[in-house]
Amino acid sequence: MKTTNKKTKVLITGAGLCGSLLGLRLAQKGYHVDILEKRSDMRKATVAGGRSINLALSDRGLAGLKLVGLEEKVRKLCIPMNGRLVHDIEGTTFASNYSGREGEYINSISREELNKLLLDEADQYEDVQIDFDDKVTSVDLKNASVTYQDSETNTEKEWKADILLGTDGAGSVVRKAMMKQRDFLFSQSMNWLPHGYKELSIPPTADGKWRIEKNFLHIWPRGGFMLIALPNLDGSFTLTLFMQYEGDGPAFNSITTDQEIKDFFNTYFKDVVEHIPDVVEQYHTNPAPPLGTVRCSPWTAYGTSLIIGDSAHAIVPFYGQGMNASFEDVVVFDQMLDQNESWADAFTAFSKKRKPDADAIADLALDNFVEMRDSVANPNFQLKRQIEMRLESAFAKAEYQSKYSLVTFPQEGVSYRDAMLKGRAQDKAILWLLENKEITTTDELDVLLSKIQEKTREVLWLRG
Amino acid sequence: MKTTNKKTKVLITGAGLCGSLLGLRLAQKGYHVDILEKRSDMRKATVAGGRSINLALSDRGLAGLKLVGLEEKVRKLCIPMNGRLVHDIEGTTFASNYSGREGEYINSISREELNKLLLDEADQYEDVQIDFDDKVTSVDLKNASVTYQDSETNTEKEWKADILLGTDGAGSVVRKAMMKQRDFLFSQSMNWLPHGYKELSIPPTADGKWRIEKNFLHIWPRGGFMLIALPNLDGSFTLTLFMQYEGDGPAFNSITTDQEIKDFFNTYFKDVVEHIPDVVEQYHTNPAPPLGTVRCSPWTAYGTSLIIGDSAHAIVPFYGQGMNASFEDVVVFDQMLDQNESWADAFTAFSKKRKPDADAIADLALDNFVEMRDSVANPNFQLKRQIEMRLESAFAKAEYQSKYSLVTFPQEGVSYRDAMLKGRAQDKAILWLLENKEITTTDELDVLLSKIQEKTREVLWLRG
């Protein structure tokens, strides 16, 4: 924006990953930024859990960190994961790379370390003020003002800004204010999976090394449930067990005694449980929160308020794109600020551009749960993967990218929605061609590429 | 249910179309039924609006009326509509039948007359008690009890039953209670269209006749907006204008002065406005409420409570299936009661069976708005319609039904979801075959049928 008064006071609710990156970027653009955060400063105190410990950082998220000049610093916090390492019930493993191209991998990173870095960087700007332990209790969208519980005086105070940006996550108070107003129609959905997740930990070896292969995202797919593991810098792994709360087969509500827990892990995850002597205690201690998807529209109100990141589009974690989507939000919002003459116009343009992409990655993440849990079930699925690896190794990105690559290692400008439409069509095309014996994994690459491209175009037409 | 105590006290909230049909059916099965209705008794007082005046009744709804033995009585309230009569902007009309088969039509019926009939029938059962002017204020799902504002004493009272059935419509208080509880995960969405609807009326002629063709559903498709008309028994038509609230092109918020209203109707609907001398006054007087879709899950709580009809799945009106879906709910619920040993099991079975169908008709209804508004746009769409009419005239239902017929005139057991999946695939298949010149409208019927069936199977596979 050329005409905007840089003295505009921006209030951001929530100093999580999205809020701190957004605050940092707006400070770099010269705005005055205040951030209210209900939690304590994680740089000073141990922070209560309830959110995942480590995350998968990939290209869309890295673009956001690059925008604020932090890519190099963040890379030092990362452990590359080159692919999935699938563990079957016998303990046999097989690797499945994320890409057929060199240098395309995702990164395991600690949520806390990344957040601390972003807070430290934001704090270096004089025009950024971050207040912790201040819980927002009510929101006046039109006036970009909030009331909050001030932790120092233990009284309720008001904060009035010019612009209000809600980055307060899946349970967003700003979104709830949008839901309550009666001036415009606000569509919203909250969808829960029947599955919850429980985090566990594999400790490092005595000399601080990793007990299972370091550079993979490990998966123990078991049909209705699964376990995954991501590596941490200290040699530990964070495991996450995704399982239904109740029903036939293993369920959180029916695995509760010490013996049931032991039996469960010994039966389904015997190759990992040997590394977790205190698995029973961990299982008892750690919570099993639910997994939900939030969608809503519009994301903006009165030209003064916007929700961004999880507060506008919380998704399930199965594509490893939650943080990446939020960081990409910041990149797109930054562009919209540059391209529009007012905050109101930037808000509208941002919501309009970004909503279809948020819906797409929400759908993709839900799909991927099934794919991860069952990833050994369909034999043609493995053949498809082989063909895609060959194509990715041989051709440029513009000629072939798998659905996973389109989502995770996109060419510039390829949105989540583009990736979803093309990626789904490609998957169906390849599976159809295999099913009808029109291709085999050993066909010549040019033949494979042209048959797949042609069938993909037809599928896109037929699905559209 | 063989084992159920027939003295079970059932409380139904809402004596609208679904609640009164459900109450009547449960009384026929021998249960004791109490119905609480917030509105006044429409048989005694003029009822406030806010809901559509007439509705399209078709086979799925008629099955519900047949179940309670009312089909013949209801037929007398019906005006058959054999198809759409499309009015272009010049006032030229062309007819498009709903089916290529004899005797397949939909029916225009007065919501009020149908509801009165259902109330009268229910009232004949000693074990049915309907209390009007009693607004439910809070719900205890677990105990199947509610508090309500008693109109006679103007005090808040409690009503405790054994079973609570919420038929209280799109704004259901019972559903809101499900949303508020914290004992189980409740998924819910409320999605608004940017369009509202405004009802208008064409009066009968002086001798009580219809001013435009009686046995059609009239449509004036205009791209972003449209007008429709359904006939009433007294010779009048109820018109409904569907239009965006704001934006480029005609919108409720930008058509507000007398002159703007006159210009709007004279420009776009000149062949109908001549029949409505007081169109300006009607436009000013009548409200323009929004159009929304409600989805949620689960529909049942604690084995004691269930939501059914619009309260569980409110949809937009563009497939003419809202009431039909609710009545089909009653048919399915009736079967589930017969097939299960407890109310709790019947609730679970009903929700599980019916939820995919409710989602399907919600999606179909949203799609159909676009199809109705733009129904002249795609030339291949008209060719497809011609081919489908030929197939429906020539073959049995089991061999060919269009998407519209699958939804509206289904063979027994064809659910909304079946209809959606098959109907959408067929549409794509025919359009693809036309686009690629693999069929023409004049091909032999056997050839057409087999090519369409084959391509439909492929599309089903590729879309699945």
Side-chain angles (χ1 to χ4, degrees), chain B residues 97-369:
Chain B
N97 275 11
Y98 284 124
S99 165
R101 294 189 176 86
E102 286 289 315
E104 289 190 339
Y105 50 82
I106 64 176
N107 301 280
S108 179
I109 191 166
S110 153
R111 173 194 290 275
E112 190 174 333
E113 293 309 314
L114 178 56
N115 208 336
K116 283 178 181 172
L117 172 65
L118 289 167
L119 292 170
D120 282 342
E121 295 290 325
D123 262 345
Q124 291 179 20
Y125 287 80
E126 211 170 85
D127 260 336
V128 175
Q129 172 71 36
I130 313 177
D131 288 331
F132 294 93
D133 301 302
D134 286 348
K135 184 183 162 136
V136 172
T137 48
S138 75
V139 175
D140 179 344
L141 296 166
K142 202 180 277 183
N143 294 305
S145 77
V146 304
T147 57
Y148 65 98
Q149 193 67 27
D150 181 62
S151 58
E152 279 169 39
T153 61
N154 207 20
T155 56
E156 192 153 85
K157 289 192 174 174
E158 195 192 337
W159 193 288
K160 167 87 181 79
D162 301 310
I163 290 297
L164 172 63
L165 303 176
T167 57
D168 46 348
S172 173
V173 179
V174 182
R175 189 180 72 246
K176 281 174 190 156
M178 291 182 174
M179 221 182 324
K180 275 186 203 155
Q181 58 67 41
R182 291 282 168 268
D183 290 341
F184 57 89
L185 296 170
F186 185 72
S187 298
Q188 205 234 12
S189 74
M190 172 80 248
N191 285 292
W192 299 102
L193 286 184
H195 300 71
Y197 70 100
K198 189 186 281 281
E199 290 189 326
L200 305 164
S201 177
I202 303 178
T205 60
D207 54 346
K209 298 290 183 217
W210 293 265
R211 290 178 188 268
I212 56 178
E213 287 83 344
K214 177 185 174 189
N215 291 115
F216 283 101
L217 191 156
H218 296 256
I219 311 183
W220 293 258
R222 297 294 179 263
F225 58 102
M226 70 172 180
L227 185 69
I228 68 167
L230 274 74
N232 298 311
L233 285 175
D234 66 359
S236 68
F237 280 85
T238 304
L239 291 161
T240 311
L241 172 64
F242 297 96
M243 186 163 67
Q244 63 183 347
Y245 287 108
E246 56 190 1
D248 296 334
F252 281 119
N253 293 352
S254 58
I255 299 170
T256 55
T257 67
D258 290 7
Q259 193 59 47
E260 285 164 350
I261 297 164
K262 277 184 214 165
D263 288 349
F264 171 66
F265 281 94
N266 286 330
T267 305
Y268 294 106
F269 308 114
K270 65 179 176 188
D271 66 332
V272 68
V273 74
E274 65 189 78
H275 300 301
I276 326 170
D278 61 341
V279 67
V280 170
E281 197 189 330
Q282 287 194 39
Y283 186 96
H284 283 308
T285 307
N286 297 347
L291 295 157
T293 302
V294 172
R295 300 169 203 252
C296 64
S297 170
W299 293 348
T300 173
Y302 307 109
T304 49
S305 302
L306 179 79
I307 47 177
I308 177 168
D310 283 359
S311 56
H313 51 75
I315 64 178
V316 296
F318 305 108
Y319 228 107
Q321 286 292 322
M323 168 181 61
N324 292 290
S326 291
F327 284 4
E328 194 174 63
D329 273 1
V330 175
V331 175
V332 174
F333 183 57
D334 182 72
Q335 291 164 355
M336 295 301 135
L337 282 176
D338 290 343
Q339 292 167 15
N340 288 277
E341 295 298 315
S342 70
W343 287 88
D345 289 349
F347 289 173
T348 304
F350 171 75
S351 303
K352 198 170 167 181
K353 176 162 175 51
R354 200 62 182 152
K355 166 74 175 157
D357 293 323
D359 286 340
I361 191 59
D363 286 343
L364 285 165
L366 287 164
D367 290 352
N368 220 39
F369 188 25

Side-chain angles (χ1 to χ4, degrees), chain A residues 118-172:
Chain A
L118 290 168
L119 291 170
D120 282 343
E121 294 290 325
D123 262 346
Q124 291 180 18
Y125 287 79
E126 210 170 87
D127 260 336
V128 175
Q129 171 71 36
I130 313 177
D131 289 331
F132 294 93
D133 302 302
D134 285 347
K135 186 184 161 133
V136 171
T137 48
S138 75
V139 175
D140 179 344
L141 296 166
K142 202 180 278 184
N143 293 306
S145 77
V146 304
T147 57
Y148 65 98
Q149 193 67 26
D150 181 62
S151 57
E152 280 169 39
T153 61
N154 207 20
T155 55
E156 191 154 85
K157 289 192 174 173
E158 196 193 336
W159 192 288
K160 166 87 181 80
D162 302 310
I163 290 297
L164 172 64
L165 303 177
T167 56
D168 47 347
S172 173

